[in-house]
């Protein structure tokens, strides 16, 4: 058994463990080391006269069996070789030396053979329980008796007080207890894998053995001390030695037996229950996965103490542990059910989000073609479903409506109220005569049967695609951005109350005129209240700078640009609110050219206007030329009088000519923008003319001709610019 194969050493194994697992060479080195240690210890005590003669003290007798027990055949053979080397120093009889060598082999090998038979699972022999301590005591007695019987024929009786073989028997037994046990504990600590602590029973056994050694030492002192100062005769000395051996042996057997009984009680009532609890706790995760929470909740992983009878405190811990395991399994089952429920709700929310998303318009091509507008919209909810929404729909043949709204709550309640609010707003806007009337009706309906006390802010605009007139009304919403011919500005509008907040409330609507190429951007507070990782708000100022900086090329998709800017600003910060942006731009296909304010540029302006309309008749071409001529010449002649400077420093007087063709309605839009002196050609009904046909007011006759040839004319003064919008019907 001592030569059985050992497993390969693990990472972090101790040096002695690695040496024994290194193959034959390593074991031979261990054997040589055991021989040297045994020889040194034996010779050291043989050199002291007091340890020989009548006393016959041989501490090495407790060393060989322990080395064999812990190290296997290297310890057995090594100890026998060390003893052989010592014997060879005093005797040259080869046969006798070989006989002593064989006896030593039997003495060193018996403990390992018996221990492996009794405890086959022990990788490292340790006194870790009462049965092991009692087994070791029995093995020590048997091994001492064996070597004594084997040596009886070889050594004559030469002691008067006590037979030499009895002395040898008692010496071997006592050395196996008081020398062998400490060596066994030390080797066990060396051979035990790193990270494996000693159990409670092992520590208790060590304490008990130390206590037994201390008691034996006290007895030894008590027996020897009274005789220390006297001149003892040989006979008295022999009697004292015999008395010490017999007393120490009797005390050792009694103390070790008592310690074993006490340890058995501790092992059954404390150590084994705690070990079972610890082992069960270590195995719990893997066993939990193997058995599943259903069986664990039924008690399949309760701690089983077997025949152990734990003390009340340990029994309470075990009961609490079992209750905790069952509760944990029940909690896992609840979590599993909750997870399935969340997955079901998530699937339903996905469907709800799909329904909500499909209820919002995404395809605007038909509206864009019908009303000569460019539409764009983005809605990004903070959760699966949101409370923001937008809508865009036709009101009649010439008007289109765009609105954005934000419900006060989030999640499913907001989504349900959003669907109701969206339906009510669309119906009321389509049926009412004005937006103010529409919001008043919608507010009254949403305030009814509103037990959840939800409300919705909204901003609604309606564009007349013929005249560019924009009607708008506000229900407590963020002010939109008006993208005009210059950089743009915030559109000022009365705030109003949110819809559904107060039933009896009347809303106001206002109107402004858009020129071709201008538009409006609506959004919800999820844009301006978006936060960066540092906690800063996106804000109105940042949004205004972004919208003011949009070029003509990027203005076609302002919503996507705003959403991208908000995403970049928020970065890794959690989205706290829905983000919604929608935009409308009237007459997206505008052509423009900046011309010098000189008569020579008139043909260029006329050619630009004619180029937007295919297949013009001669009559319509002449009419358009006349309109452009009279207005352009009027600006060239009177907008920049001598000494007047252009609006922009260092610029020469110029006229920006913009034109677009609304093929759906057969209308040509012409916009003339200059930085000259303020002049509103629409302020007078007719231009004063003298009797001889001369203008009494500069430009009066030309403006009169232009108004007669056109089908509509609007003017505004902004940022030091004259902006004149003229329309001409050219047929379908």
């Amino acid at each position: 058994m001592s030569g059985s194969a050992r497993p390969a050493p693990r990472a972090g194994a101790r040096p002695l463990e690695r040496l024994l697992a290194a193959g034959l060479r390593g074991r031979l080195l261990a054997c040589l080391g055991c021989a040297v240690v045994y020889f040194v210890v034996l010779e050291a005590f043989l050199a002291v006269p007091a340890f020989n003669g009548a006393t016959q003290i041989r501490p090495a007798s407790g060393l060989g069996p322990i080395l064999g027990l812990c190290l296997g055949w290297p310890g057995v053979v090594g100890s026998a070789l060390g003893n052989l080397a010592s014997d060879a120093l005093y005797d040259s009889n080869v046969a006798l030396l070989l006989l002593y060598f064989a006896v030593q082999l039997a003495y060193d090998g018996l403990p390992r053979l018996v221990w492996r038979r009794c405890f086959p699972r022990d990788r490292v022999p340790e006194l870790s329980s009462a049965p092991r301590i009692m087994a070791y005591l029995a093995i020590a007695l048997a091994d001492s008796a064996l070597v004594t019987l084997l040596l009886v024929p070889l050594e004559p009786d030469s002691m008067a007080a006590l037979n030499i073989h009895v002395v040898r028997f008692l010496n071997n037994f006592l050395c196996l207890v008081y020398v062998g046990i400490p060596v066994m504990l030390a080797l066990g600590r060396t051979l035990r894998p790193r990270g494996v602590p000693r159990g409670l029973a092992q520590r208790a056994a060590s304490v008990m053995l130390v206590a037994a050694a201390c008691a034996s030492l006290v007895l030894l002192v008590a027996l020897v001390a009274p005789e220390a100062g006297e001149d003892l005769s040989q006979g008295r000395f022999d009697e004292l030695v015999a008395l010490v051996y017999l007393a120490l042996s009797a005390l050792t057997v009694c103390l070790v037996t008592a310690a074993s009984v006490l340890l058995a009680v501790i092992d059954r009532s404390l150590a084994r229950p705690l070990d079972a609890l610890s082992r069960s706790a270590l195995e719990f995760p893997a066993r939990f996965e193997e058995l599943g929470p259903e069986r664990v909740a039924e008690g399949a992983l309760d701690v089983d103490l077997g025949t152990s009878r734990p003390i009340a405190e340990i029994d309470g811990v075990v009961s609490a542990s079992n209750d905790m395991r069952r509760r944990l399994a029940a909690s896992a089952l609840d979590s599993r059910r909750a997870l399935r429920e969340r997955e079901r709700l998530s699937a339903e929310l996905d469907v709800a989000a799909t329904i909500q998303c499909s209820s919002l318009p995404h395809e605007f091509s038909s509206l864009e073609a019908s009303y000569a507008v460019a539409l764009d919209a983005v809605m990004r909810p903070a959760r699966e479903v949101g409370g923001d929404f937008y809508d865009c729909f036709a009101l009649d043949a010439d008007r289109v409506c765009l609105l954005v709204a934000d419900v006060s709550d989030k999640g499913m309640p907001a989504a349900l109220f959003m669907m109701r609010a969206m339906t009510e707003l669309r119906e009321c806007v389509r049926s009412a005569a004005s937006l103010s009337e529409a919001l008043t009706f919608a507010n009254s309906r949403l305030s009814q049967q509103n037990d959840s006390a939800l409300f919705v802010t909204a901003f609604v605009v309606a564009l007349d695609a013929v005249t560019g007139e924009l009607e708008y009304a506000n229900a407590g919403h963020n002010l939109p951005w008006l993208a005009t011919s210059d950089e743009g500005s915030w559109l000022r509008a009365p705030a109003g109350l949110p819809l559904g907040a107060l039933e009896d409330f009347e809303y106001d609507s206002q109107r402004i005129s858009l020129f071709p190429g201008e538009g409006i951007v609506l959004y919800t507070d999820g844009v301006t209240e978006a936060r960066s990782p540092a906690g800063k708000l996106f804000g109105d100022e940042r949004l205004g700078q972004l919208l003011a900086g949009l070029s003509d090329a990027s203005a076609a998709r302002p919503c996507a640009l705003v959403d991208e800017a908000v995403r970049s600003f928020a970065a890794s910060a959690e989205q706290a609110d829905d983000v919604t942006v929608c935009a409308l731009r009237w007459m997206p296909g505008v052509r423009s050219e900046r011309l010098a304010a000189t008569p020579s540029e008139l043909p260029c302006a006329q050619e630009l206007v004619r180029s937007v309309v295919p297949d013009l008749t001669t009559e319509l071409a002449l009419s358009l030329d006349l309109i452009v001529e009279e207005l352009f010449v009027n600006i060239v002649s009177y907008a920049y009088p001598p000494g007047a400077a252009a609006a922009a420093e260092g610029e020469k007087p110029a006229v920006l000519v913009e034109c677009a063709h609304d093929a759906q309605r057969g209308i040509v839009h012409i916009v003339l923008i200059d930085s000259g002196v303020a002049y509103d050609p629409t302020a007078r009904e007719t231009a004063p003319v003298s009797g001889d046909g001369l203008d009494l007011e500069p430009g009066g006759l030309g403006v009169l001709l232009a108004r007669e040839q056109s089908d509509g004319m609007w003017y505004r003064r902004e940022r030091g610019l004259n902006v004149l919008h003229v329309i001409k019907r050219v047929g379908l």
Side-chain angles (χ1 to χ4, degrees):
M1 289 185 177
S2 62
S4 59
R6 290 177 177 265
R10 301 172 303 278
R14 299 181 184 272
L16 184 56
E17 186 181 9
R18 290 200 299 269
L19 182 63
L20 293 175
L24 181 60
R25 182 180 178 183
R27 296 187 183 189
L28 289 175
L29 289 175
C31 179
L32 178 60
C34 291
V36 172
V37 170
Y38 190 92
F39 177 81
V40 171
V41 173
L42 181 58
E43 285 299 314
F45 280 87
L46 287 176
V48 181
F51 295 149
N52 299 285
T55 60
Q56 288 292 307
I57 298 176
R58 300 288 187 271
S61 299
L63 189 60
I66 298 303
L67 293 176
L69 179 62
C70 294
L71 304 181
W73 72 259
V76 173
V77 176
S79 299
L81 289 174
N83 185 72
L84 178 62
S86 177
D87 289 344
L89 296 177
Y90 308 101
D91 198 334
S92 60
N93 189 335
V94 177
L96 187 60
L97 292 176
L98 292 177
L99 187 58
Y100 276 117
F101 179 73
V103 172
Q104 187 69 31
L105 284 176
Y107 178 62
D108 295 342
L110 178 64
R112 181 172 179 83
L113 293 175
V114 177
W115 191 278
R116 294 297 294 268
R117 177 74 63 178
C118 296
F119 308 105
R121 295 185 179 180
D122 282 8
R123 182 176 177 274
V124 179
E126 288 190 281
L127 303 177
S128 58
S129 63
R132 285 170 171 77
I133 293 177
M134 294 304 296
Y136 180 79
L137 190 64
I139 290 172
L141 288 169
D143 203 25
S144 300
L146 173 65
V147 73
T148 300
L149 292 174
L150 291 175
L151 292 176
V152 166
L154 303 178
E155 297 182 1
D157 185 5
S158 62
M159 299 183 71
L162 196 62
N163 188 286
I164 188 172
H165 300 296
V166 176
V167 172
R168 181 177 288 110
F169 168 75
L170 296 178
N171 172 81
N172 291 347
F173 172 70
L174 291 174
C175 287
L176 283 173
V177 172
Y178 294 110
V179 175
I181 289 178
V183 173
M184 186 176 178
L185 293 175
L187 288 176
R189 184 179 182 86
T190 303
L191 293 172
R192 187 186 307 116
R194 295 182 185 273
V196 179
R198 300 176 66 199
L200 177 62
Q202 294 169 302
R203 294 193 294 272
S206 300
V207 172
M208 292 177 183
L209 291 172
V210 170
C214 292
S216 299
L217 182 61
V218 171
L219 177 62
L220 177 63
V221 172
L223 292 174
V224 175
E227 308 288 344
E230 300 180 7
D231 186 13
L232 300 177
S233 64
Q234 184 64 40
R236 178 57 184 160
F237 182 76
D238 291 344
E239 290 177 359
L240 184 60
V241 170
L243 179 61
V244 169
Y245 269 116
L246 292 174
L248 287 179
S249 299
L251 179 63
T252 298
V253 171
C254 293
L255 288 178
V256 172
T257 302
S260 299
V261 173
L262 181 58
L263 182 61
V265 175
I266 294 176
D267 187 53
R268 183 182 64 179
S269 301
L270 191 62
R272 270 192 286 170
L274 287 178
D275 288 343
L277 183 61
S278 176
R279 185 169 55 254
S280 178
L282 291 174
E283 296 173 352
F284 181 76
R287 295 281 292 161
F288 187 91
E289 293 293 332
E290 178 184 348
L291 297 178
E294 294 84 359
R295 293 191 58 191
V296 177
E298 297 171 357
L301 285 185
D302 286 359
V303 179
D304 183 13
L305 299 180
T307 59
S308 301
R309 296 181 181 178
I311 60 176
E313 290 79 4
I314 300 299
D315 189 53
V317 172
V318 172
S319 299
S321 175
N322 291 337
D323 182 64
M324 180 199 68
R325 293 164 189 244
R326 297 191 181 199
R327 288 175 179 270
L328 179 62
S331 176
L333 289 174
D334 292 341
S335 298
R336 185 178 295 179
R337 287 190 290 267
L339 178 61
R340 287 196 294 266
E341 182 66 17
R342 285 196 299 270
E343 289 175 349
R344 184 185 65 82
L345 291 176
S346 179
E348 292 180 357
L349 284 174
D350 288 342
V351 174
T354 302
I355 295 174
Q356 183 186 37
C357 185
S358 62
S359 67
L360 302 177
H362 299 283
E363 177 56 46
F364 304 110
S365 56
S366 60
L367 289 175
E368 290 176 335
S370 300
Y371 296 95
V373 293
L375 296 169
D376 185 28
V378 170
M379 201 279 276
R380 178 161 52 90
R383 302 181 184 177
E384 289 84 353
V385 291
D388 284 9
F389 67 93
Y390 64 89
D391 201 0
C392 186
F393 50 90
L395 294 178
D396 53 41
D398 293 328
R399 292 194 307 151
V400 62
C401 177
L402 177 67
L403 64 89
V404 69
D406 183 3
V407 179
S408 58
D409 203 356
K410 296 179 179 63
M412 187 59 71
L416 294 175
F417 195 77
M418 163 255 176
M419 297 299 293
R420 179 188 175 192
M422 185 175 180
T423 303
E424 295 286 4
L425 276 171
R426 177 177 284 208
E427 181 180 350
C428 291
V429 170
R430 279 181 167 172
S431 59
S434 65
L435 293 184
S436 59
E437 184 179 316
L439 291 185
T440 302
F441 289 162
N443 175 65
S444 178
R445 294 184 182 183
L446 291 174
S447 299
Q448 299 170 4
Q449 299 179 348
N450 185 14
D451 297 336
S452 59
L454 295 177
F455 57 86
V456 56
T457 65
F459 202 98
V460 189
V461 298
L463 173 69
D464 188 323
V466 176
T467 64
E469 184 181 64
L470 186 74
E471 183 184 9
Y472 58 92
N474 188 12
H477 199 76
N478 303 75
L479 295 178
W481 179 263
L482 186 63
T484 56
S485 55
D486 55 358
E487 292 183 350
S489 61
W490 299 107
L491 178 61
R492 301 300 173 184
L497 289 179
L499 303 175
L502 182 63
E503 183 174 358
D504 297 325
F505 186 83
E506 293 186 359
Y507 293 84
D508 295 329
S509 62
Q510 296 179 333
R511 299 171 186 268
I512 61 171
S513 293
L514 294 183
F515 290 174
E518 298 180 339
I520 192 169
V521 179
L522 310 178
Y523 62 95
T524 60
D525 57 9
V527 175
T528 54
E529 295 179 5
R531 291 186 179 273
S532 68
K536 294 183 179 180
L537 293 176
F538 190 81
D540 293 332
E541 182 178 356
R542 195 184 309 271
L543 177 61
Q545 292 174 353
L546 174 65
L547 294 174
L550 292 180
S551 63
D552 293 339
S554 59
R557 298 287 295 169
C559 300
L561 293 175
V562 171
D563 183 52
E564 181 180 352
V566 172
R567 286 177 185 268
S568 177
F569 178 80
S572 59
E574 182 180 1
Q575 182 181 347
D577 200 359
D578 306 332
V579 173
T580 303
V581 190
C582 55
L584 176 150
R585 186 162 68 97
W586 183 45
M587 295 299 292
V590 175
R591 298 182 184 178
S592 63
E593 188 172 352
R594 188 176 185 85
L595 303 174
T598 60
S600 61
E601 295 289 348
L602 175 60
C604 296
Q606 293 173 327
E607 179 61 29
L608 177 65
V609 173
R610 288 196 301 270
S611 66
V612 301
V613 185
D615 303 326
L616 272 175
T617 64
T618 303
E619 182 180 355
L620 288 174
L622 291 174
S623 180
L624 289 174
D625 286 346
L626 180 59
I627 294 173
V628 173
E629 179 182 359
E630 295 301 332
L631 296 177
F632 189 86
V633 171
N634 186 60
I635 294 172
V636 170
S637 301
Y638 305 111
Y640 300 102
E649 294 184 5
E651 289 187 2
K652 295 181 178 180
V655 181
L656 178 63
V657 181
E658 297 180 343
C659 56
H661 178 215
D662 184 355
Q664 185 73 19
R665 290 166 183 76
I667 297 176
V668 174
H669 296 266
I670 304 171
V671 178
L672 300 175
I673 303 174
D674 67 83
S675 58
V677 295
Y679 176 69
D680 181 5
T682 66
R684 299 177 179 274
E685 289 296 328
T686 59
V689 181
S690 64
D692 56 2
L694 298 176
D695 289 349
L696 297 180
E697 178 181 315
L701 183 58
V703 172
L704 177 62
L705 290 174
R707 290 179 60 180
E708 289 179 350
Q709 291 294 319
S710 66
D711 295 296
M713 184 179 294
W714 299 270
Y715 168 85
R716 73 166 181 254
R717 178 77 177 183
E718 62 178 25
R719 296 182 181 271
L721 299 176
N722 297 305
V723 184
L724 181 63
H725 176 204
V726 181
I727 63 172
K728 174 66 176 178
R729 296 187 180 275
V730 295
L732 298 179

